[in-house]
Amino acid sequence: MGCKGRKARVSRDADADADGSEEEGAAAPAATGSKSLYEILGVEKTASQQEIKKAYYKLALRLHPDKNPGDEEAKEKFQQLQKVISILGDAEKRALYDETGIADDDALVGEAADNLQEYFRTMYKKVTEADIEEFEAKYRGSDSEKKDLKDLYTKYKGNMNRLFCSMICSEPKLDSHRFKDIIDEAIAEGELKSTKAYEKWAKKISEMEPPTNPLERRVK
């Protein structure tokens, strides 16, 4: 997927008190018996970025607020899912997690991680390829997509590489110009604030040829 981002907010010092019995470079588990982020997401540690994003999509489509209006549990799990993909979907953060085995979030360790893994496993089985295609057809270009885009823009402070890691049903080559237009309009209206990271990305996108039909059904 090629997602890059800022240094992961995970600590390299958390295992400073370890007795050194583990081999150098081995991942230190966040908690005894705790599920790894890979297990939570339902993929192998060797999974490609594409496989990780596909697993994220399947769960995100099932837990998205549009699918579960008024369901606070689904909303909470969707937010936790975004925390998982913010690490595994980011090349630098994933590498650091693989090295340390540490996720600096109480919702992703210990019993909480076990419960999350079981919940996601149940949800994952309920999603079919047809469900994904149906949701994508309705979602892309919708008001809901615009809201998610603006929320993630604010969350990542205009870092579009990190935004694309978490934005469901998105593809940088296909959606960058479309997203830029939406964000530029929101900035002009005072709804969003421009950032240096965004301005640098927007300048690069402006110099590229836009796709002829960005809302066409993508080839699976």
Side-chain angles (χ1 to χ4, degrees), residues 40-73:
I40 291 175
L41 195 59
V43 298
E44 298 293 330
K45 186 176 180 180
T46 55
S48 67
Q49 290 299 100
Q50 184 177 2
E51 290 170 331
I52 286 174
K53 192 167 185 178
K54 182 177 181 180
Y56 166 69
Y57 275 178
K58 291 192 72 172
L59 290 170
L61 297 187
R62 186 71 179 85
L63 296 169
H64 193 277
D66 280 3
K67 288 274 191 177
N68 307 275
D71 188 334
E72 289 301 316
E73 182 183 25

Side-chain angles (χ1 to χ4, degrees), residues 117-166:
Q117 186 264 349
E118 178 61 27
Y119 184 90
F120 285 169
R121 186 179 67 83
T122 302
M123 291 296 101
Y124 196 86
K125 292 180 178 180
K126 296 181 179 181
V127 182
T128 66
E129 292 298 323
D131 292 332
I132 295 176
E133 292 182 4
E134 180 183 1
F135 181 89
E136 182 175 320
K138 294 179 180 179
Y139 179 77
R140 286 169 57 76
S142 68
D143 289 340
S144 180
E145 182 196 44
K146 289 182 180 179
K147 180 182 183 302
D148 289 345
L149 175 64
K150 294 173 184 178
D151 288 346
L152 289 174
Y153 174 91
T154 300
K155 178 179 180 180
Y156 294 125
K157 299 178 181 179
N159 186 320
M160 298 301 289
N161 289 327
R162 296 185 67 193
L163 181 149
F164 270 109
C165 288
S166 297

Side-chain angles (χ1 to χ4, degrees), residues 192-219:
L192 296 176
K193 294 182 179 179
S194 185
T195 69
K196 290 183 179 180
Y198 174 72
E199 290 170 2
K200 181 178 179 180
W201 175 86
K203 183 177 184 297
K204 180 179 178 181
I205 296 303
S206 296
E207 296 170 351
M208 298 170 59
E209 187 73 20
T212 55
N213 188 3
L215 288 177
E216 66 183 351
R217 180 178 292 279
R218 297 183 298 170
V219 176

Side-chain angles (χ1 to χ4, degrees), residues 21-40:
S21 60
E22 295 186 46
E23 294 182 7
E24 183 178 355
T32 303
S34 177
K35 298 292 184 182
S36 72
L37 297 187
Y38 294 100
E39 290 176 298
I40 291 175

Side-chain angles (χ1 to χ4, degrees), residues 69-89:
D71 188 334
E72 289 301 316
E73 182 183 25
K75 180 181 179 180
E76 178 186 0
K77 293 298 190 294
F78 182 72
Q79 292 171 344
Q80 292 171 340
L81 176 63
Q82 288 191 312
K83 292 178 181 179
V84 173
I85 197 63
S86 72
I87 296 175
L88 297 187

